[in-house]
Amino acid sequence: MSEIQHSIATLRIWGDALLPEEISRMLGCEPTDAETKGQTLTGKVSGMKRIARTGTWRLRATDREPEDLEAQIDELLEQLTDDLAVWSEISRRFKMDLFCGLFMKSTNDGLCISSKQLAALGLRGIELELDIYDPTRP
């Protein structure tokens, strides 16, 4: 089995009552991107305006080529609090996941996520969301 060509990873927290400043204070880190429900947003490319349907707080790891999802998980978690009580409160109040985009270079690529990494995510209430992209699709 060959390796995944490259990976992206973003910690995402969202909910209608989410205030990005509160999450930043709780986690001890500023987000890569954030919005508050009802905020007017302007598309960077299109310039079109839209209204945020919910509050979001996102922290993106450095893209990796070849894939190194474990390093991306470490990169994200090292920036954030280790206080599991904080994570428990956040996961009780909001939805949260680690969104991972995995871009294959062949039709039979794979990866392994260690039990240490899975436990670190699980202890914080972070679901693992994997989007796997087929190299044969345009």
Side-chain angles (χ1 to χ4, degrees):
M1 179 169 38
S2 63
E3 62 188 14
I4 301 285
Q5 183 174 359
H6 77 274
S7 57
I8 62 171
T10 303
L11 175 64
R12 306 184 303 183
I13 304 171
W14 69 95
D16 288 348
L18 184 141
L19 299 173
E21 311 79 38
E22 178 187 18
I23 300 301
S24 295
R25 181 186 49 74
M26 293 173 76
L27 293 178
C29 181
E30 291 298 315
T32 307
D33 199 18
E35 52 201 47
T36 304
K37 181 177 180 173
Q39 179 180 351
T40 301
L41 306 167
T42 304
K44 292 176 185 170
V45 175
S46 69
M48 295 183 65
K49 296 194 182 302
R50 69 176 179 86
I51 304 298
R53 293 185 301 200
T54 193
T56 62
W57 188 98
R58 295 179 298 280
L59 183 62
R60 184 167 176 161
T62 305
D63 294 358
R64 297 292 202 290
E65 190 169 335
E67 168 274 324
D68 193 350
L69 189 53
E70 291 213 353
Q72 290 170 301
I73 293 170
D74 284 341
E75 176 187 334
L76 292 168
L77 295 182
E78 286 171 358
Q79 298 178 66
L80 306 167
T81 185
D82 289 329
D83 186 341
L84 296 182
V86 168
W87 287 100
S88 178
E89 181 180 348
I90 291 171
S91 67
R92 180 182 55 77
R93 295 173 54 201
F94 306 109
K95 295 187 185 274
M96 179 168 48
D97 71 10
L98 179 66
F99 173 83
C100 305
L102 303 169
F103 299 83
M104 299 169 61
K105 67 179 168 183
S106 71
T107 57
N108 187 30
D109 295 345
L111 74 139
C112 181
I113 304 170
S114 73
S115 57
K116 176 185 170 203
Q117 299 290 41
L118 292 171
L121 295 173
L123 286 171
R124 290 161 176 81
I126 302 170
E127 292 185 357
L128 185 60
E129 175 84 25
L130 302 174
D131 270 17
I132 303 168
Y133 298 91
D134 180 345
T136 62
R137 297 276 185 158

